[in-house]
Amino acid sequence: GEKNAINTTIINFNNEKMQITWATRELFHNENVSFFYTFGEGKHKVWKPCTTYLLDQDYNSGCLFKTEGPTLAISIRNSNGSEELFSKKLKADFYIKPSPPENVTFFWEEDTVTVSCNKPERNAWCLRLELQYKSKFDKEWQSRISKCCSVGEQGFDPRKCYSFRVRLRRLVPYCNVVKYSSDWEAETFWMNGTLLDSCDDDVTPQSKRVIVLSCSLAVLLMMLILLILLCKWQRVQMSVLPAIPDPKYPFADLFNDHNGNLQEWLDKNDHVVLQTKLEYEEPESITEAESQQEDEKNSDKQGPLEKIFTFSEATENNDGKAAEIACLIPASNTAAPISGFHILMNDDMYVML
């Protein structure tokens, strides 16, 4: 009874290789055991020692060997094989773990997909094909199981990308005593019947070009709108807040060369005043009669003109005192006499000649 009380894990890989493991540290403390097996029935059994051990911290914890028949007997013994510690007989066909499905194909028709694979040569009726799928918006897999070796499902959204994976399952309890399934086939990604590298690539190249073109047009439109608004803003600003002229620009040499000294600027620019005066003189081609008529017409204005030209003649004759009196900058809130006129000035005013 104690020999059959040891728990073991038995796996028959697609009826090709057997793997049997045991908990060596819990069952056999500080003792290395040996493993023997035989296929077939009858009294004359030939026990074969294990040639490929599985180790757990340098202790034998399992054995891997070739499957040679449906009936298997195993024996675990002490290190030298003289004493049997555990023995068991079993049906190797009840512990089969199938291999992953081969040559998996996907057939799409509108919102329906059909998945199929190659049919195994032996005991295909014991197998079921399981399909799992999910979109990138789903957290859990959806499952669909059908007979080997085709399964179909409908209701797929052509606008979504789906992940698919398939495997084979062994029927319990008709074919297996343990629920063994194959490993999952490599995961694939599909969108509306098109195979993708991943669901991150569900945007087609044409859609990418459309997005890039749309963004470029939007940026150009925004720049055009901003340019139009800027031009209109400048016009509004010029109409509402006109620019105030700066007096230093018409008289740049007065401020730059003479530091605002009006008397010094006038002394250095006598030729400018003379040129201004000559512009008012009549050309030599004018007849004396026309000159007399002009004098008569302007007789009424002679008084003011005399006052105006008095200042010019004083400047032309280098009358220093007259120019000094006429051009000195008056103090704040004082009356400045210019050519007989008295002008009240303060700090916020300036005179342009």
Side-chain angles (χ1 to χ4, degrees), residues 91-162:
K91 285 287 187 179
D93 292 345
F94 285 173
Y95 296 87
I96 294 178
K97 179 178 180 179
S99 298
E102 298 179 354
N103 193 22
V104 179
T105 58
F106 290 79
F107 176 73
W108 289 78
E109 185 176 4
E110 295 181 356
D111 66 338
T112 303
V113 59
T114 302
V115 183
S116 59
C117 65
N118 289 345
K119 187 176 183 180
E121 296 179 357
R122 297 175 55 187
N123 299 328
W125 65 274
C126 286
L127 298 175
R128 294 294 181 266
L129 181 63
E130 181 180 7
L131 169 67
Q132 286 191 347
Y133 61 91
K134 67 175 180 178
S135 70
K136 63 180 182 179
F137 304 103
D138 299 328
K139 295 182 179 179
E140 297 181 354
W141 291 93
Q142 305 294 324
S143 184
R144 176 76 173 174
I145 301 176
S146 182
K147 292 182 179 181
C148 185
C149 291
S150 179
V151 59
E153 185 61 71
Q154 61 183 4
F156 292 98
D157 190 343
R159 298 169 298 179
K160 294 181 180 180
C161 177
Y162 292 89

Side-chain angles (χ1 to χ4, degrees), residues 46-63:
V46 179
W47 292 94
K48 296 180 180 180
C50 178
T51 57
T52 306
Y53 279 102
L54 303 177
L55 302 179
D56 182 8
Q57 295 183 358
D58 298 330
Y59 288 96
N60 297 334
S61 61
C63 182

Side-chain angles (χ1 to χ4, degrees), residues 309-321:
F309 283 104
T310 301
F311 171 73
S312 300
E313 292 173 358
T315 305
E316 182 179 1
N317 296 329
N318 295 325
D319 189 353
K321 293 182 179 180

Side-chain angles (χ1 to χ4, degrees), residues 4 42 45 71-74 87-91 95:
N4 294 328
K45 297 179 181 179
T71 304
L72 173 66
I74 60 175
S87 64
K88 186 175 183 178
K89 295 180 180 180
L90 53 96
K91 285 287 187 179
Y95 296 87

